[in-house]
Amino acid sequence: MEWTGLNELREKYLSFFESKGHLRLDSFPLVPHNDNSLLLINSGMAPMKKWFLGQEEPPCHRVTTCQKCIRTPDIERVGITARHGTFFEMLGNFSFQDYFKEEVIPWAWEFLTQTLEIPAEKLYISVYLDDDEAYDIWTKKVGIPEDHMVRFGKEDNFWEHGSGPCGPCSEIYFDRGPEFGCGKPDCRVGCDCDRYMEVWNLVFSQFDSDGNGHYERLAKPNIDTGMGLERLACVMQGVGNLFEVDTVHNILNHVERITGKTYGQDHLTDVSIRVITDHIRSTVFMVSDGILPSNEGRGYVLRRLLRRAARHGRMLGVKRPFLSELCDTVIKENGSAYPELIEHSDYIKKTISAEEERFSRTIDAGLTILNNLVEDVIKKAQEGKKRILSGMDAFKLNDTFGFPLDLTKEIAAEKGIEVDEEGFRSELQKQRETARADRMSRDISGWTADLFSNVDAKPTDFVGYESLAAEAKLVALSDGEELVDAIATDDGPKTNVLVVLDRTPFYAESGGQVADTGSITTASGAHLSVSACKKTPKGYFVHTCTLEDGMVQVGEAVVANVDEKRRHSIMRNHTSAHLLQKALREVLGAHVHQAGSYEDDERVRFDFTHFNAVTPQELQQVEKIVNEKIFEALPVVVKEMPIKEAKELGAMALFGEKYGEIVRVVDINGWSTEFCGGTHVSNTAQLGCFKILSESSVAAGIRRIEGTTGYGILKLLDEKNEMLHQVAGALKVSNVHDLPQRAAAVSAELKNVQKELDDLKTEIANAKVDGLFDDAQEVEGIKIFTLFLTGTANDAIRGMCDKARDKVPASVTAIIGECEGKTSLAVAVGKDAQAKGLAAGKLVKQIAAIAGGNGGGKPDFAMAGIKDTSKIDDALNAVPELVKAALNS
């Protein structure tokens, strides 16, 4: 066999199975589509579950892919060993009720021994204990000698995951040679040593399990195979682990150049180099698929990987942000197979750089505090206490310094210390409950699977692109708890009536666009008002209704009508989102991509990738461009076309979205071209006008603009006009055009009144200062003046202190003033009093402390805040004793 590069191996595999009648599909995104059971795609078959389960018709019954995958359970092991990694590519060939063992087993052998020319004597085969069928195909049809065959039990050679399709599997092993073995006489396939490497797993899904040990043979079984591309490359390149594979090793070499370290000379250095190498591969692919760093879900995985890599860079002596530099090598090594990496390269680097810089601003302080906490735990352990870092401390490190729990655990574990995870999670409980509620609000909700999964009907035919009214048949009905044949009004309207039609004009909530509302009328005269519409995984449009009167029955003929005025308003706002994205890219740069959107009948909300606040001038320019395109009356053409043709047109796709072979494209006269399944106007002039309402930050690297069009503009103008008239009435102006002049006059009047008031307060304060001298206490020749005033600002009490200090050099003045809810203490010390060792800065701290405050200043004057106003008298009464103590210290 010849040395073969990883990229060449991928192409050889996919081409081989294309020659066997398989449809080659691009890798699915790492973000699962319509699958809440997975955080990230972790296997080749995971994105195809709907085809295995028969929920959707596959594009072909023979499919081959190279799927990018992320697996996170062993993150803390990555780097410590050379065999663990978070990112990998899984080669697979799949049959959906087409071919079976007789075909797949010989094909696997042909690819390995003929296409790759791996010596047959190096390969060993395992089969399930009772799978004589597979055993006979391997030995009698392929010709594998029996000493190269092994049988294993359920734990090793039977694929099953709860109820559903399952079956035996057959694994192919490569013998790396005795030098990788354990040396035991009975060393063979299945041994825990590194000699026999599992290369390929062929899963024969031939049973349907009820999850309780009962298996029914499937009439049409499936094939699911998986072969790790990096593992195959290890075999073909004669290397020991994935970090020595060509494309990965080139990334590792770049890490060496940046850190100035050499791989293979020191164990701890090697650990850090492997961590950085693996994690930068994972994060580049994750960001390219639209994942952003956050504190929840897959965004947390990304943040955890980036910050772990950044920390190991620090451990190797790299004090500056450096991860974005490695992106170029990752993209270069993988860009031929994944062109989206090249397309998104600037965005990937900016996202990773921003996260690393964010972490670098706090990592040193966080590490110092964590190290101090760890040392404290170690000291307490010497006193017999447990070596546990409290959950509260771990939470503070996370909340203040951005240390993921796993990073804190990893650093603590290096010193033999555990972390109280339960305490940490209790501190996060409220945040998690909030996040869970948000997920529930965005989910299609549980009833879709429970109530409509067994409906025996074709998916709903959506006709809402062409028409806002349709004659239809009611095919399924629910009261929100179970499927029913009929529902009638008794004492009043029935809410939460769920209706499925065979065809509908109602747009189902998706892609950020809200659902249509309207009405459904039955042939018998019953009337339902439609408040929402969602689409189930099986393609049923579920209308949430209120039955106003009458009775509805399954099988009835109905007429469905969409609220036309509302739909047109939604269409205007949705089209404006496309114009807005293009304008933002022109003004801010090509790194701008949609990160979320929401369009209803009142406004458009558009989230996009950008790393700074958009300036007022930039917003003005964006708004101007959008309105120019509206006034140009550009045609908006929506058509379906092959995805290849759409990409050639330059149509923009959503990050991380997986599209079929035929896509829907919205083309605004060639200026803006995007993949989109939403509803749109036919000409930009129908928007009327566009106005930006606000711009804000949503998350790190994500900004949000809200805007409106059409009737929303008129509503905004009405609100502004009403506000102007209210202000005019308050200022007693008959014409709103006179408001600027009247406002300027009122402002000048208020300024004069304020000056007169300040002058009056100063006169009153001066009078009170004169009174101070009459009631002064004396301590060892020092006059003590104290006073509490309400409604007196800081400037006034400062002036009073200055006057007392200048008039009586041997004095200490302490005045507390309260104004608009804020209480302050001012202390002044005359020259003669300073000569005796008294200092205002020291005294103000002592006095303020009695009332829960703190402050400081110079020897002659100082100020402090007062928190506990109930202790004001105590604080002022203590001044003589504090002065006496200071004089005698």
Side-chain angles (χ1 to χ4, degrees), residues 148-224:
H148 277 234
M149 297 289 301
V150 294
R151 291 180 184 261
F152 289 134
K154 243 187 170 185
E155 184 177 341
D156 296 299
N157 276 78
F158 195 95
W159 188 90
E160 182 176 16
H161 188 70
S163 61
C166 61
C169 58
S170 181
E171 296 176 326
I172 304 173
Y173 294 82
F174 176 78
D175 181 4
R176 303 171 72 193
E179 63 271 23
F180 289 92
C182 57
K184 297 177 182 177
D186 60 347
C187 181
R188 62 195 298 269
V189 172
C191 184
D192 289 336
C193 69
D194 293 333
R195 177 171 177 173
Y196 298 95
M197 177 192 290
E198 178 199 334
V199 176
W200 202 346
N201 188 12
L202 315 178
V203 179
F204 314 126
S205 299
Q206 63 193 64
F207 298 112
D208 184 15
S209 169
D210 64 359
N212 296 310
H214 181 70
Y215 302 92
E216 291 284 346
R217 196 171 184 93
L218 294 169
K220 293 184 177 180
N222 303 308
I223 288 293
D224 162 23

Side-chain angles (χ1 to χ4, degrees), residues 428-638:
L428 285 172
Q429 190 60 33
K430 180 184 286 188
Q431 177 183 347
R432 296 206 180 283
E433 287 175 357
T434 302
R436 189 179 299 113
D438 178 61
R439 285 197 300 272
M440 289 298 290
S441 69
R442 288 185 285 106
D443 190 11
I444 195 167
S445 86
W447 49 258
T448 54
D450 296 336
L451 296 181
F452 299 103
S453 58
N454 294 323
V455 171
D456 185 17
K458 293 180 180 179
T460 304
D461 179 20
F462 175 61
V463 297
Y465 291 137
E466 302 84 21
S467 174
L468 297 184
E471 295 181 353
K473 178 182 176 182
L474 200 158
V475 297
L477 187 64
S478 170
D479 59 5
E481 296 183 0
E482 60 182 351
L483 292 177
V484 295
D485 293 326
I487 297 177
T489 54
D490 296 322
D491 300 329
K494 291 278 189 182
T495 59
N496 201 35
V497 175
L498 308 178
V499 173
V500 175
L501 306 177
D502 64 342
R503 61 200 301 264
T504 183
F506 284 86
Y507 183 86
E509 175 187 329
S510 65
Q513 180 175 325
V514 297
D516 288 327
T517 59
S519 65
I520 297 173
T521 306
T522 72
S524 60
H527 180 81
L528 300 109
S529 59
V530 181
S531 59
C533 184
K534 293 186 179 182
K535 185 179 179 181
T536 76
K538 290 186 72 173
Y540 299 129
F541 281 55
V542 180
H543 307 75
T544 301
C545 308
T546 297
L547 177 59
E548 304 291 353
D549 56 72
M551 182 175 75
V552 291
Q553 301 179 69
V554 172
E556 268 195 292
V558 303
V559 176
N561 287 283
V562 170
D563 181 334
E564 186 173 345
K565 182 178 178 181
R566 182 173 180 273
R567 163 70 88 84
H568 286 153
S569 292
I570 295 170
M571 291 162 61
R572 283 190 285 269
N573 285 330
H574 198 154
T575 302
S576 77
H578 287 225
L579 297 173
L580 179 59
Q581 175 165 223
K582 178 64 176 177
L584 284 166
R585 287 171 66 85
E586 286 194 357
V587 174
L588 303 180
H591 65 277
V592 168
H593 286 276
Q594 181 176 330
S597 69
Y598 174 86
E599 299 91 18
D600 62 17
D601 56 319
E602 294 189 348
R603 72 190 193 284
V604 56
R605 187 180 72 208
F606 188 77
D607 296 347
F608 58 98
T609 53
H610 190 56
F611 300 91
N612 303 296
V614 186
T615 67
Q617 294 77 15
E618 289 169 335
L619 285 175
Q620 187 177 24
Q621 190 176 354
V622 167
E623 187 177 273
K624 179 183 177 184
I625 291 173
V626 173
N627 281 308
E628 284 175 349
K629 298 305 173 184
I630 292 172
F631 302 149
E632 287 174 19
L634 302 177
V636 180
V637 178
V638 181

